[in-house]
Amino acid sequence: MSLPLIAAEISRFLGSNDPEILCIKGRWGVGKTYAWRHFLKLAQQEQRISYDKYSYISLFGRNSLADLRNSVTENTVSTKDVEAKPSPTSLDNATSLLRQGVQRGGFLASLLPQSNGYAQLAQRALYLFVRNTIVCLDDLERAGSSLAMKDVLGLASQLKDEKGCKVAILLNDEKLVGEARDDFQAQLEKVVDVVIDFELSPEEAAGIALDARTVFHDKLRADCIKLKLDNIRVIKKAERFCARLEPLLSEFDERVLEQCVHTATLACYAKYQPDKAPSLSSIRAFDPWAAAVRSVNGDKSEVDPHYVIIQDYGISHIDGLDEVVLSAVDRGFFDEEQLKVEAKQVNDSLRTSDMRADYHRAWEIYRSSFARNEDELATALTQAVERNVAIIEPPNLDGVVSMLRELGYGDRASGLIGFFLAAKEREGPSYWDPSNFEYHGRIRDAEFISAMAERRRSFEEPVNPLQHLMRVGERDGWGEEDEAAILQISEEEVAGILLSSTGEEFRLIVSSYRTFLSISNPSPSVTEICRRAKAALAQVAGESTLNAMRVKSQFHGIDLNA
């Protein structure tokens, strides 16, 4: 039966003055009680309830007809407040309502309580005066073993025929067994006036169950429908979990909450409808490529229907944020700290993806037409780099500045290079090595290459030529880097170093120059180093007879005049 027909029938039942019995039956969780309360509240707000009194009784665990009768009076409230909870105050109010229904009570009226509070003795008398009340008997299949089905139906019939009441019976008839099932089926047509088979479509279940005022309503509704959920209890469970997630994720992009809603809905389905849904473990282990691998391997066996549910629902993989949500549904509580850690990672990833998409959209102006829109393209590319510089790499910038120069916007290209260097000031020396980006293609812009080289050099430690000179003596060998550094020492500086050094430093410097002067076929750089050394040694030898003797001794066998 469709929701509009159910709504119309319940509305008619509540609004008519005729005593009757309405039976609403359906599977567990489909929303029988929820719908009854929803439409009852709606009728109250619109003042469409014909009777003044309402009593709701769950038969769960009740074991006697006397207990059930007493509950009718104890739970009676005014239809002006159908959500009121039973209490001593509500019983006093019910007593007042029952008194109003009794024109002449005589001796029996005198048994009614005359002040706040009530005595056990008065309960039977109160039931005698039950009149014109809407009575809801819920959970009929869950009544205690000592309360017979035929007795409950007999009481419902009495309330209707003798007391002018309207009775709504709610039950899951699939759970009736044995004598209770036989009695119900035998008495149904005799006792009940209208039977509603409560069965909602997923769209109807989501429509009646979900609060449209929540920020996640549209996403949750779509997810419930995607899973074909018609169990209102499961839908409400998912809504409650999402309501707990929403304030915890308010600082992040709304898509983070949407991902959590998506996962929480599937997790609630798995947790609270395990007979139909995939298990939480199968969700965690889901592999989107498994079906393709089976096909390639020629496996034609039937695919697990739970795998299909997860696949059709749109799960591609379970990331850290999904795992936090799955665990929360499984355990019933959230690890708020870990939730926010994982949410931030997803948020950062979304932000990066957004920036990449924004940057690539600027290039669409170039790719999507033959229009003469050079200035529009130059402006779009420049602003795209400035907006999204966090994800712009040297090859990206090179492509933009090369385009700008080719279009005649050289100044703008140079300005963009300066902006990029300032924005990337925290990057290390390897970032400024063009060879590290050759997999994107060679960087072409000369100004940018020069700027990268200058930035890379800024990380180099100042060269100490003396250290390089002594290192040659330590190793008895050298490299191009050492040659370049030693060539920075002038002829006069070489003489000063020789005259001022002592001890181990002196020994290493002399050893270094002996090594260079011993080369038989020196390179041009080494030839120059040797020339400066010979000139410096001649100057040192000319200082004194003693120094001349020292030079001859230290450089024995080397022709210093050649």
Side-chain angles (χ1 to χ4, degrees), residues 156-398:
S157 182
Q158 180 194 45
L159 287 168
K160 169 196 168 185
D161 296 335
E162 299 179 15
K163 297 180 176 292
C165 293
K166 304 174 77 68
V167 182
I169 299 174
L170 280 57
L171 80 157
N172 177 1
D173 58 323
E174 293 180 356
K175 293 297 182 181
L176 294 176
V177 294
E179 186 178 352
R181 181 190 59 223
D182 296 339
D183 286 344
F184 177 76
Q185 293 174 347
Q187 298 297 322
L188 182 63
E189 293 184 4
K190 299 176 183 178
V191 174
V192 175
D193 299 294
V194 177
V195 177
I196 293 177
D197 286 311
F198 199 93
E199 190 79 26
L200 301 181
S201 68
E203 291 81 2
E204 291 171 334
I208 192 175
L210 296 176
D211 185 349
R213 298 169 296 179
T214 60
V215 297
F216 51 81
H217 168 269
D218 291 348
K219 175 60 178 172
L220 178 56
R221 182 179 185 277
D223 287 340
C224 289
I225 293 172
K226 185 74 174 176
L227 286 172
K228 299 180 174 61
L229 295 184
D230 59 3
N231 189 305
I232 286 182
R233 295 191 187 186
V234 175
I235 295 172
K236 294 301 291 185
K237 284 282 189 180
E239 185 179 45
R240 282 191 284 273
F241 269 101
C242 294
R244 291 167 62 185
L245 282 164
E246 190 268 328
L248 297 175
L249 301 175
S250 59
E251 65 186 280
F252 302 110
D253 188 291
E254 63 182 14
R255 288 170 293 179
V256 176
L257 176 60
E258 288 179 359
Q259 177 180 333
C260 290
V261 169
H262 191 67
T263 305
T265 307
L266 180 61
C268 286
Y269 184 35
K271 175 75 173 179
Y272 300 107
Q273 258 188 299
D275 56 324
K276 296 181 65 176
S279 66
L280 289 171
S281 60
S282 66
I283 296 171
R284 288 185 169 103
F286 178 73
D287 177 7
W289 299 104
V293 171
R294 284 163 50 90
S295 178
V296 169
N297 293 336
D299 186 349
K300 297 182 180 180
S301 61
E302 186 177 354
V303 179
D304 181 357
H306 288 165
Y307 179 93
V308 176
I309 290 174
I310 301 172
Q311 184 181 53
D312 290 349
Y313 187 59
I315 296 292
S316 58
H317 71 287
I318 299 298
D319 63 17
L321 182 58
D322 295 321
E323 179 55 42
V324 173
V325 175
L326 288 170
S327 296
V329 172
D330 192 21
R331 297 178 301 184
F333 64 91
F334 284 97
D335 182 341
E336 296 184 11
E337 182 178 348
Q338 190 61 30
L339 176 72
K340 291 189 176 184
V341 168
E342 299 295 344
K344 184 180 184 304
Q345 290 188 10
V346 172
N347 194 76
D348 291 346
S349 177
L350 288 170
R351 183 171 177 270
T352 297
S353 296
D354 288 345
M355 288 191 288
R356 293 192 188 284
D358 183 47
Y359 170 71
H360 288 298
R361 274 195 297 272
W363 279 101
E364 285 304 309
I365 298 173
Y366 172 69
R367 299 187 182 101
S368 61
S369 77
F370 286 115
R372 299 187 61 180
N373 52 357
E374 292 87 350
D375 194 58
E376 179 189 1
L377 174 61
T379 299
L381 289 174
T382 301
Q383 292 178 349
V385 170
E386 292 172 345
R387 280 195 307 270
N388 307 299
V389 69
I391 56 93
I392 299 298
E393 301 291 351
N396 304 129
L397 185 72
D398 182 67

Side-chain angles (χ1 to χ4, degrees), residues 352-513:
T352 297
S353 296
D354 288 345
M355 288 191 288
R356 293 192 188 284
D358 183 47
Y359 170 71
H360 288 298
R361 274 195 297 272
W363 279 101
E364 285 304 309
I365 298 173
Y366 172 69
R367 299 187 182 101
S368 61
S369 77
F370 286 115
R372 299 187 61 180
N373 52 357
E374 292 87 350
D375 194 58
E376 179 189 1
L377 174 61
T379 299
L381 289 174
T382 301
Q383 292 178 349
V385 170
E386 292 172 345
R387 280 195 307 270
N388 307 299
V389 69
I391 56 93
I392 299 298
E393 301 291 351
N396 304 129
L397 185 72
D398 182 67
V400 172
V401 298
S402 297
M403 174 68 75
L404 292 175
R405 290 196 199 283
E406 193 168 347
L407 293 175
Y409 295 90
D411 291 344
R412 192 175 292 188
S414 298
L416 206 54
I417 290 172
F419 168 81
F420 184 79
L421 292 171
K424 300 289 187 176
E425 62 180 355
R426 295 186 177 181
E427 297 291 348
S430 63
Y431 187 80
W432 304 104
D433 184 352
S435 65
N436 290 334
F437 299 96
E438 288 183 353
Y439 58 89
H440 284 296
R442 192 173 298 276
I443 292 176
R444 300 170 296 162
D445 187 79
E447 182 182 346
F448 186 35
I449 292 172
S450 176
M452 291 180 71
E454 183 178 348
R455 174 61 62 85
R456 192 168 66 257
R457 284 194 297 270
S458 70
F459 291 96
E460 297 175 357
E461 295 182 3
V463 174
N464 187 328
L466 184 57
Q467 288 182 349
H468 283 271
L469 181 61
M470 290 190 294
R471 189 163 64 184
V472 174
E474 287 178 340
R475 299 175 179 175
D476 196 24
W478 69 91
E480 292 182 1
E481 184 180 334
D482 296 313
E483 286 183 14
I486 295 171
L487 280 171
Q488 295 181 34
I489 306 174
S490 67
E491 186 177 307
E492 293 74 15
E493 289 172 333
V494 173
I497 290 170
L498 290 170
L499 288 169
S500 61
S501 62
T502 60
E504 180 66 13
E505 182 179 284
F506 176 80
R507 187 189 68 78
L508 290 173
I509 291 171
V510 170
S511 176
S512 297
Y513 279 121

